[in-house]
Structure formats: structure tokens, C-alpha cells
Coordinates of all heavy atoms in Angstrom, one line a residue:
M64 N 39.9 15.7 21.7 CA 39.5 15.1 20.4 C 38.0 14.9 20.4 O 37.4 14.4 21.3 CB 40.3 13.8 20.3 CG 40.2 13.2 18.9 SD 41.2 11.7 18.8 CE 40.3 10.9 17.4
S65 N 37.4 15.4 19.4 CA 36.0 15.3 19.3 C 35.6 13.9 18.8 O 36.3 13.2 18.1 CB 35.5 16.4 18.4 OG 35.9 16.2 17.1
K66 N 34.3 13.6 19.0 CA 33.8 12.3 18.6 C 33.6 12.3 17.1 O 33.1 13.2 16.5 CB 32.5 12.1 19.3 CG 31.9 10.7 19.2 CD 30.6 10.5 20.0 CE 30.1 9.2 19.8 NZ 29.5 9.0 18.5
G67 N 34.2 11.3 16.5 CA 34.1 11.2 15.0 C 32.8 10.7 14.6 O 31.9 10.4 15.3
F68 N 32.6 10.7 13.3 CA 31.4 10.3 12.6 C 31.5 8.8 12.5 O 32.1 8.3 11.5 CB 31.3 11.0 11.3 CG 29.9 10.8 10.7 CD1 28.8 11.4 11.3 CD2 29.7 10.1 9.5 CE1 27.6 11.3 10.7 CE2 28.5 10.0 9.0 CZ 27.4 10.6 9.6
G69 N 31.0 8.1 13.5 CA 31.2 6.6 13.5 C 30.4 5.8 12.5 O 29.5 6.4 11.9
E70 N 30.7 4.6 12.4 CA 30.0 3.7 11.5 C 28.6 3.5 11.9 O 27.7 3.4 11.0 CB 30.7 2.3 11.4 CG 31.5 2.1 10.2 CD 32.3 0.8 10.3 OE1 31.6 -0.2 10.4 OE2 33.5 0.8 10.1
S71 N 28.4 3.5 13.2 CA 27.0 3.3 13.6 C 26.1 4.5 13.3 O 24.9 4.3 12.9 CB 26.9 3.0 15.1 OG 27.4 4.1 15.9
D72 N 26.7 5.7 13.3 CA 25.9 6.9 12.9 C 25.5 6.8 11.5 O 24.4 7.1 11.1 CB 26.7 8.1 13.1 CG 27.0 8.4 14.6 OD1 26.2 8.0 15.4 OD2 28.1 9.0 14.9
F73 N 26.5 6.3 10.7 CA 26.2 6.2 9.2 C 25.2 5.2 9.0 O 24.3 5.4 8.1 CB 27.6 5.9 8.6 CG 27.5 5.9 7.1 CD1 27.2 7.1 6.4 CD2 27.7 4.8 6.3 CE1 27.1 7.2 5.0 CE2 27.7 4.8 4.9 CZ 27.4 6.0 4.3
A74 N 25.2 4.1 9.7 CA 24.2 3.0 9.5 C 22.9 3.6 9.9 O 21.9 3.2 9.2 CB 24.6 1.8 10.3
Q75 N 22.8 4.4 10.9 CA 21.6 4.9 11.4 C 21.0 5.8 10.3 O 19.8 5.8 10.0 CB 21.8 5.7 12.7 CG 20.5 6.3 13.3 CD 19.5 5.2 13.7 OE1 19.9 4.2 14.2 NE2 18.3 5.4 13.3
I76 N 21.8 6.7 9.7 CA 21.4 7.6 8.7 C 20.8 6.8 7.5 O 19.8 7.1 6.9 CB 22.5 8.5 8.2 CG1 22.7 9.6 9.3 CG2 22.2 9.2 6.9 CD1 24.0 10.3 9.2
L77 N 21.6 5.7 7.1 CA 21.1 4.9 6.0 C 19.8 4.3 6.3 O 18.9 4.2 5.4 CB 22.1 3.7 5.8 CG 23.3 4.1 4.9 CD1 24.2 2.8 4.7 CD2 22.9 4.7 3.6
S78 N 19.6 3.8 7.5 CA 18.3 3.1 7.8 C 17.2 4.1 7.9 O 16.1 3.9 7.5 CB 18.4 2.3 9.1 OG 18.2 3.0 10.2
D79 N 17.5 5.4 8.4 CA 16.5 6.4 8.4 C 16.1 6.7 7.0 O 14.9 6.9 6.7 CB 17.1 7.7 9.0 CG 17.1 7.6 10.5 OD1 16.6 6.6 11.1 OD2 17.7 8.5 11.2
K80 N 17.0 6.8 6.1 CA 16.7 7.1 4.7 C 15.9 6.0 4.1 O 14.9 6.3 3.4 CB 18.1 7.2 3.9 CG 17.9 7.7 2.5 CD 19.3 8.1 1.9 CE 19.1 8.6 0.5 NZ 18.8 7.5 -0.5
A81 N 16.2 4.7 4.4 CA 15.4 3.6 3.9 C 14.0 3.7 4.4 O 13.1 3.4 3.7 CB 16.1 2.3 4.3
T82 N 13.9 4.0 5.7 CA 12.5 4.1 6.2 C 11.7 5.2 5.5 O 10.6 5.0 5.1 CB 12.6 4.4 7.7 OG1 13.4 3.5 8.4 CG2 11.2 4.4 8.4
T83 N 12.4 6.4 5.3 CA 11.7 7.5 4.6 C 11.3 7.0 3.2 O 10.1 7.3 2.8 CB 12.6 8.7 4.5 OG1 13.1 9.0 5.8 CG2 11.9 9.9 3.9
E84 N 12.1 6.3 2.5 CA 11.8 5.9 1.2 C 10.7 4.9 1.2 O 9.8 5.0 0.3 CB 13.0 5.3 0.5 CG 13.9 6.4 -0.1 CD 15.2 5.9 -0.6 OE1 15.4 4.7 -0.5 OE2 16.1 6.7 -1.0
S85 N 10.7 4.0 2.1 CA 9.6 3.0 2.1 C 8.3 3.6 2.6 O 7.3 3.2 2.0 CB 10.0 1.7 3.0 OG 10.3 2.1 4.3
V86 N 8.4 4.6 3.5 CA 7.1 5.3 3.9 C 6.6 6.0 2.7 O 5.4 6.0 2.4 CB 7.4 6.2 5.1 CG1 6.2 7.2 5.2 CG2 7.6 5.4 6.3
Q87 N 7.5 6.7 2.0 CA 7.1 7.5 0.8 C 6.5 6.5 -0.3 O 5.4 6.9 -0.9 CB 8.3 8.2 0.2 CG 8.0 9.2 -0.9 CD 7.0 10.2 -0.4 OE1 7.2 10.8 0.6 NE2 5.9 10.5 -1.1
R88 N 7.1 5.4 -0.5 CA 6.5 4.4 -1.4 C 5.1 3.9 -1.0 O 4.3 3.8 -1.9 CB 7.5 3.2 -1.6 CG 7.2 2.4 -2.9 CD 8.3 1.5 -3.2 NE 8.6 0.6 -2.0 CZ 9.8 0.4 -1.5 NH1 10.9 1.0 -2.0 NH2 10.0 -0.4 -0.5
L89 N 5.0 3.7 0.3 CA 3.7 3.2 0.8 C 2.6 4.3 0.5 O 1.5 4.0 0.1 CB 3.8 3.0 2.3 CG 4.1 1.5 2.7 CD1 4.1 1.4 4.2 CD2 3.0 0.6 2.2
L90 N 3.0 5.6 0.8 CA 2.1 6.7 0.6 C 1.7 6.8 -0.9 O 0.6 7.0 -1.2 CB 2.7 8.0 1.1 CG 2.8 8.2 2.6 CD1 3.6 9.5 2.9 CD2 1.5 8.2 3.2
D91 N 2.7 6.6 -1.8 CA 2.4 6.7 -3.2 C 1.5 5.6 -3.6 O 0.6 5.8 -4.4 CB 3.7 6.5 -4.0 CG 4.5 7.8 -4.0 OD1 4.0 8.9 -3.6 OD2 5.7 7.8 -4.5
E92 N 1.7 4.4 -3.1 CA 0.9 3.2 -3.4 C -0.5 3.5 -2.9 O -1.5 3.2 -3.6 CB 1.5 1.9 -2.8 CG 2.6 1.4 -3.6 CD 3.3 0.2 -2.9 OE1 2.8 -0.2 -1.9 OE2 4.3 -0.2 -3.5
N93 N -0.6 4.0 -1.7 CA -2.0 4.3 -1.1 C -2.7 5.3 -2.0 O -3.9 5.2 -2.2 CB -1.8 4.8 0.3 CG -1.7 3.7 1.3 OD1 -1.9 2.5 1.0 ND2 -1.4 4.0 2.5
R94 N -2.0 6.3 -2.4 CA -2.6 7.4 -3.2 C -3.1 6.8 -4.6 O -4.2 7.0 -5.0 CB -1.6 8.5 -3.5 CG -2.2 9.7 -4.1 CD -1.1 10.9 -4.2 NE 0.1 10.4 -4.8 CZ 0.4 10.1 -6.1 NH1 -0.6 10.3 -7.0 NH2 1.5 9.7 -6.4
L95 N -2.2 6.0 -5.2 CA -2.6 5.3 -6.4 C -3.8 4.4 -6.2 O -4.8 4.4 -7.0 CB -1.5 4.5 -7.0 CG -0.4 5.2 -7.7 CD1 0.8 4.2 -8.1 CD2 -0.9 5.9 -8.9
Q96 N -3.8 3.7 -5.1 CA -4.9 2.8 -4.8 C -6.2 3.5 -4.6 O -7.2 3.1 -5.1 CB -4.5 1.9 -3.6 CG -5.5 0.8 -3.3 CD -5.6 -0.2 -4.5 OE1 -4.7 -0.4 -5.2 NE2 -6.8 -0.8 -4.6
A97 N -6.1 4.7 -3.9 CA -7.2 5.5 -3.6 C -7.8 6.1 -4.9 O -9.0 6.1 -5.1 CB -6.9 6.6 -2.6
E98 N -6.9 6.4 -5.8 CA -7.3 7.0 -7.1 C -8.0 5.9 -7.9 O -9.0 6.1 -8.6 CB -6.1 7.5 -7.9 CG -5.7 8.9 -7.5 CD -4.4 9.3 -8.1 OE1 -3.9 8.6 -9.0 OE2 -3.9 10.4 -7.7
R99 N -7.5 4.7 -7.8 CA -8.2 3.6 -8.6 C -9.6 3.3 -8.0 O -10.5 3.1 -8.8 CB -7.3 2.3 -8.4 CG -6.2 2.2 -9.4 CD -5.2 1.1 -9.1 NE -5.7 -0.2 -9.4 CZ -5.2 -1.3 -8.9 NH1 -4.3 -1.2 -8.0 NH2 -5.6 -2.5 -9.3
A100 N -9.7 3.3 -6.7 CA -11.0 3.1 -6.1 C -11.9 4.2 -6.5 O -13.1 3.9 -6.8 CB -10.8 3.1 -4.6
T101 N -11.4 5.4 -6.6 CA -12.3 6.6 -7.0 C -12.7 6.4 -8.4 O -13.9 6.6 -8.7 CB -11.5 7.9 -6.8 OG1 -11.1 8.0 -5.4 CG2 -12.4 9.1 -7.1
S102 N -11.8 6.0 -9.3 CA -12.2 5.9 -10.7 C -13.2 4.7 -10.9 O -14.0 4.7 -11.7 CB -11.0 5.7 -11.6 OG -10.5 4.4 -11.5
R103 N -13.1 3.7 -10.0 CA -14.0 2.6 -10.1 C -15.4 3.0 -9.6 O -16.4 2.5 -10.0 CB -13.5 1.4 -9.2 CG -12.3 0.7 -9.9 CD -11.7 -0.4 -9.1 NE -12.6 -1.6 -9.1 CZ -12.6 -2.5 -10.1 NH1 -11.9 -2.3 -11.2 NH2 -13.4 -3.5 -10.0
K104 N -15.4 4.0 -8.7 CA -16.7 4.5 -8.2 C -17.4 5.2 -9.4 O -18.6 5.0 -9.6 CB -16.5 5.6 -7.1 CG -16.7 5.0 -5.7 CD -16.4 6.1 -4.7 CE -16.0 5.4 -3.3 NZ -15.3 6.4 -2.4
A105 N -16.6 5.9 -10.2 CA -17.1 6.7 -11.3 C -17.7 5.7 -12.4 O -18.7 6.0 -13.1 CB -16.0 7.5 -11.9
T106 N -17.1 4.5 -12.5 CA -17.6 3.6 -13.5 C -18.6 2.6 -12.9 O -19.0 1.7 -13.6 CB -16.4 2.8 -14.2 OG1 -15.7 2.1 -13.2 CG2 -15.5 3.8 -15.0
G107 N -19.0 2.8 -11.7 CA -19.9 1.9 -11.1 C -19.4 0.5 -10.7 O -20.1 -0.4 -10.4
E108 N -18.0 0.4 -10.7 CA -17.4 -0.9 -10.4 C -16.9 -1.0 -8.9 O -16.4 -2.0 -8.5 CB -16.2 -1.2 -11.3 CG -16.6 -1.4 -12.7 CD -15.4 -1.5 -13.6 OE1 -14.6 -0.6 -13.7 OE2 -15.2 -2.6 -14.2
Y109 N -17.2 0.1 -8.2 CA -16.7 0.2 -6.8 C -17.4 -0.9 -6.0 O -18.6 -1.1 -6.1 CB -17.0 1.5 -6.2 CG -16.5 1.6 -4.8 CD1 -15.1 1.7 -4.6 CD2 -17.3 1.7 -3.7 CE1 -14.6 1.8 -3.3 CE2 -16.9 1.8 -2.4 CZ -15.5 1.8 -2.2 OH -15.1 1.9 -0.9
G110 N -16.6 -1.6 -5.2 CA -17.1 -2.7 -4.3 C -17.1 -4.0 -5.0 O -17.6 -5.0 -4.4
V111 N -16.7 -4.1 -6.3 CA -16.6 -5.3 -7.0 C -15.1 -5.7 -7.2 O -14.3 -4.8 -7.6 CB -17.3 -5.2 -8.4 CG1 -17.2 -6.5 -9.2 CG2 -18.8 -4.9 -8.2
C112 N -14.8 -6.9 -6.9 CA -13.4 -7.3 -7.0 C -12.9 -7.2 -8.5 O -13.6 -7.7 -9.4 CB -13.2 -8.7 -6.5 SG -11.6 -9.4 -6.8
E113 N -11.8 -6.5 -8.7 CA -11.3 -6.4 -10.1 C -10.7 -7.6 -10.7 O -10.4 -7.7 -11.9 CB -10.3 -5.2 -10.1 CG -9.0 -5.4 -9.3 CD -8.1 -4.2 -9.4 OE1 -8.4 -3.3 -10.2 OE2 -7.2 -4.1 -8.6
D114 N -10.4 -8.6 -9.8 CA -9.9 -9.9 -10.3 C -11.0 -10.9 -10.6 O -11.0 -11.5 -11.7 CB -8.9 -10.5 -9.3 CG -7.5 -9.8 -9.4 OD1 -7.4 -8.8 -10.2 OD2 -6.6 -10.2 -8.7
C115 N -11.8 -11.2 -9.6 CA -12.8 -12.3 -9.8 C -14.2 -11.8 -10.1 O -15.1 -12.5 -10.4 CB -12.8 -13.2 -8.6 SG -13.4 -12.5 -7.1
G116 N -14.4 -10.4 -9.9 CA -15.7 -9.9 -10.2 C -16.8 -10.1 -9.1 O -17.9 -9.7 -9.3
Q117 N -16.4 -10.7 -8.0 CA -17.3 -10.9 -6.9 C -17.4 -9.6 -6.1 O -16.5 -8.8 -6.1 CB -16.8 -12.0 -6.0 CG -16.7 -13.3 -6.8 CD -17.4 -14.5 -6.1 OE1 -18.2 -14.3 -5.2 NE2 -17.0 -15.7 -6.6
K118 N -18.5 -9.5 -5.4 CA -18.7 -8.3 -4.5 C -17.7 -8.4 -3.4 O -17.6 -9.4 -2.8 CB -20.1 -8.2 -4.0 CG -21.1 -7.7 -5.1 CD -22.4 -7.2 -4.5 CE -22.2 -5.9 -3.9 NZ -23.5 -5.3 -3.4
I119 N -17.1 -7.2 -3.1 CA -16.3 -7.2 -1.9 C -17.2 -6.9 -0.7 O -18.1 -6.1 -0.8 CB -15.2 -6.0 -2.0 CG1 -14.4 -6.2 -3.3 CG2 -14.3 -5.9 -0.8 CD1 -13.5 -5.0 -3.7
S120 N -16.9 -7.6 0.4 CA -17.8 -7.5 1.6 C -17.8 -6.1 2.1 O -16.8 -5.4 2.1 CB -17.4 -8.5 2.7 OG -16.2 -8.1 3.3
A121 N -19.0 -5.7 2.6 CA -19.2 -4.3 3.1 C -18.3 -4.1 4.3 O -17.8 -3.0 4.5 CB -20.6 -4.1 3.5
E122 N -18.0 -5.2 5.0 CA -17.2 -5.1 6.2 C -15.8 -4.7 5.8 O -15.1 -3.8 6.4 CB -17.1 -6.5 6.9 CG -16.4 -6.5 8.2 CD -17.2 -5.9 9.3 OE1 -18.3 -5.5 9.1 OE2 -16.6 -5.9 10.4
R123 N -15.3 -5.3 4.7 CA -13.9 -5.0 4.2 C -13.9 -3.6 3.7 O -12.9 -2.9 3.9 CB -13.6 -6.0 3.1 CG -12.3 -5.7 2.3 CD -11.8 -6.9 1.6 NE -10.8 -6.7 0.6 CZ -9.5 -6.5 1.0 NH1 -9.1 -6.5 2.2 NH2 -8.6 -6.3 0.1
L124 N -14.9 -3.2 3.0 CA -14.9 -1.8 2.4 C -15.0 -0.7 3.5 O -14.4 0.4 3.3 CB -16.1 -1.6 1.4 CG -15.9 -2.4 0.1 CD1 -17.2 -2.3 -0.7 CD2 -14.7 -1.8 -0.7
K125 N -15.6 -1.1 4.6 CA -15.7 -0.1 5.7 C -14.4 0.0 6.3 O -13.9 1.1 6.6 CB -16.7 -0.7 6.7 CG -17.3 0.4 7.7 CD -18.4 -0.1 8.5 CE -17.9 -1.0 9.7 NZ -19.0 -1.6 10.4
F126 N -13.6 -1.1 6.4 CA -12.3 -1.1 7.0 C -11.3 -0.5 6.0 O -10.3 0.1 6.4 CB -12.0 -2.5 7.4 CG -10.7 -2.7 8.1 CD1 -10.5 -2.2 9.4 CD2 -9.6 -3.4 7.5 CE1 -9.3 -2.3 10.0 CE2 -8.4 -3.5 8.2 CZ -8.2 -3.0 9.4
L127 N -11.5 -0.8 4.7 CA -10.5 -0.4 3.7 C -11.2 0.1 2.5 O -11.4 -0.6 1.5 CB -9.7 -1.7 3.4 CG -8.4 -1.5 2.6 CD1 -7.3 -0.8 3.5 CD2 -7.8 -2.8 2.1
P128 N -11.6 1.4 2.6 CA -12.5 2.0 1.5 C -11.9 1.9 0.1 O -12.6 1.9 -0.9 CB -12.7 3.4 2.0 CG -12.3 3.4 3.4 CD -11.3 2.4 3.6
E129 N -10.5 1.9 0.1 CA -9.9 1.9 -1.2 C -9.6 0.5 -1.8 O -9.0 0.4 -2.8 CB -8.5 2.7 -1.2 CG -7.4 2.1 -0.4 CD -7.5 2.5 1.1 OE1 -8.6 2.7 1.6 OE2 -6.4 2.5 1.7
A130 N -10.2 -0.5 -1.1 CA -10.0 -1.9 -1.6 C -10.6 -2.1 -3.0 O -11.7 -1.6 -3.2 CB -10.6 -2.9 -0.6
T131 N -9.8 -2.7 -3.9 CA -10.4 -3.0 -5.2 C -10.4 -4.5 -5.5 O -10.7 -4.9 -6.6 CB -9.6 -2.2 -6.3 OG1 -8.3 -2.6 -6.3 CG2 -9.8 -0.7 -6.2
R132 N -10.0 -5.2 -4.5 CA -10.0 -6.7 -4.6 C -10.6 -7.3 -3.4 O -10.6 -6.7 -2.3 CB -8.6 -7.2 -4.7 CG -7.9 -7.0 -6.0 CD -6.6 -7.8 -6.1 NE -6.0 -7.6 -7.4 CZ -5.1 -6.6 -7.6 NH1 -4.7 -5.8 -6.6 NH2 -4.6 -6.4 -8.8
C133 N -11.2 -8.5 -3.5 CA -11.7 -9.2 -2.4 C -10.6 -9.8 -1.6 O -9.4 -9.8 -2.0 CB -12.7 -10.3 -2.8 SG -11.9 -11.7 -3.7
V134 N -10.8 -10.3 -0.4 CA -9.8 -10.7 0.5 C -9.0 -11.8 -0.2 O -7.7 -11.8 -0.1 CB -10.4 -11.2 1.8 CG1 -9.3 -11.8 2.7 CG2 -11.1 -10.1 2.5
A135 N -9.6 -12.8 -0.8 CA -9.0 -13.9 -1.4 C -8.0 -13.5 -2.5 O -6.9 -13.9 -2.6 CB -10.0 -14.9 -2.0
C136 N -8.5 -12.6 -3.4 CA -7.6 -12.1 -4.5 C -6.5 -11.2 -4.0 O -5.4 -11.3 -4.5 CB -8.5 -11.4 -5.5 SG -9.6 -12.4 -6.4
Q137 N -6.8 -10.4 -3.0 CA -5.7 -9.5 -2.4 C -4.6 -10.4 -1.8 O -3.4 -10.1 -2.0 CB -6.3 -8.6 -1.4 CG -5.3 -7.6 -0.9 CD -4.9 -6.6 -1.9 OE1 -5.7 -6.1 -2.6 NE2 -3.6 -6.4 -2.1
T138 N -5.0 -11.4 -1.1 CA -4.0 -12.3 -0.5 C -3.2 -13.0 -1.5 O -2.0 -13.1 -1.4 CB -4.8 -13.4 0.4 OG1 -5.6 -12.7 1.3 CG2 -3.8 -14.2 1.2
R139 N -3.8 -13.4 -2.6 CA -3.1 -14.1 -3.7 C -2.1 -13.1 -4.3 O -1.0 -13.4 -4.6 CB -4.1 -14.6 -4.7 CG -3.5 -15.6 -5.7 CD -4.6 -16.4 -6.4 NE -5.6 -15.5 -7.0 CZ -6.9 -15.6 -7.0 NH1 -7.4 -16.6 -6.5 NH2 -7.6 -14.7 -7.6
Q140 N -2.6 -11.9 -4.5 CA -1.8 -10.8 -5.1 C -0.5 -10.5 -4.3 O 0.6 -10.4 -4.8 CB -2.6 -9.5 -5.3 CG -1.9 -8.4 -5.9 CD -1.8 -8.6 -7.5 OE1 -2.5 -9.4 -8.0 NE2 -1.0 -7.8 -8.1
E141 N -0.7 -10.5 -3.0 CA 0.4 -10.1 -2.1 C 1.4 -11.3 -2.0 O 2.5 -11.0 -1.6 CB -0.2 -9.7 -0.7 CG -0.7 -8.3 -0.7 CD -1.5 -8.0 0.5 OE1 -1.5 -8.8 1.4 OE2 -2.1 -6.9 0.5
R142 N 1.0 -12.5 -2.3 CA 1.9 -13.6 -2.2 C 2.8 -13.7 -3.4 O 3.8 -14.3 -3.4 CB 1.1 -14.9 -2.1 CG 0.6 -15.2 -0.7 CD 0.2 -16.6 -0.5 NE -0.5 -16.8 0.7 CZ -1.7 -17.4 0.8 NH1 -2.2 -18.0 -0.3 NH2 -2.3 -17.6 1.9
Q143 N 2.4 -13.0 -4.5 CA 3.2 -13.1 -5.7 C 4.5 -12.4 -5.6 O 4.6 -11.3 -5.0 CB 2.4 -12.6 -6.9 CG 1.4 -13.6 -7.4 CD 0.5 -13.0 -8.5 OE1 0.5 -11.9 -8.8 NE2 -0.4 -13.9 -9.0
Ligands
ZN219 ZN1 -11.6 -11.5 -6.0

């Protein structure tokens, strides 16, 4: 008798699928965010927080070139 397609295998496939989808969503979000940063470069708003209008620190931009918000506003956004 061969080994059946167990519940744990099915759960594994489901979780693999979920991982793939969340990775894909992250990639999409990153791409959108990178496009936003690029369009802000074109309008001369790059490096300025889109929420409070303050300059984003050079340190942050070096670490996260696609950032369009300062640390405080990004943190607030992520909490919502
Ligand atoms: Zn801000």
C-alpha cells in the first residue's frame, strides 16, 4: 500500500501557496513604492516626506532609497 496524500502534505502545500502569495504581494508593493519614489524624483519631491513635508534623513534614504515617508510617519502608517 502506497503512502497516501496526508493532511500534513496538504497543509504544507497550502502554506507554501500562502508564502508565495505574500512574497508576490510584497514584491508588488515594493515595485509600486519604487515607482512612487521615482515619480517623486521627477517632481523634485524626492527625499521629502509625503505626509508631513519634512525632509527624510539621508541615512534613511541610503538604507531605503524608495522611502517616501519619514520614520515617524511610516511608523504611524504601519500601525493603522
Ligand atoms: Zn513625515
Side-chain angles (χ1 to χ4, degrees):
M64 192 174 158
S65 65
K66 192 175 175 287
F68 193 67
E70 255 175 57
S71 63
D72 294 331
F73 188 60
Q75 184 60 45
I76 287 165
L77 277 184
S78 85
D79 283 352
K80 188 169 180 288
T82 305
T83 305
E84 279 172 3
S85 57
V86 165
Q87 190 58 48
R88 197 169 53 233
L89 268 179
L90 287 176
D91 283 351
E92 280 171 8
N93 277 349
R94 188 175 47 79
L95 280 177
Q96 188 61 31
E98 279 172 9
R99 277 166 78 199
T101 304
S102 76
R103 289 177 73 78
K104 262 178 204 161
T106 57
E108 292 174 300
Y109 181 70
V111 176
C112 174
E113 63 183 348
D114 280 4
C115 69
Q117 303 230 12
K118 284 197 79 173
I119 303 170
S120 72
E122 187 77 2
R123 175 163 167 76
L124 287 173
K125 200 169 79 182
F126 183 67
L127 196 70
E129 69 271 33
T131 55
R132 284 189 182 93
C133 69
V134 178
C136 293
Q137 186 65 47
T138 306
R139 197 164 53 220
Q140 184 76 14
E141 281 167 8
R142 279 197 194 132
Q143 279 173 358

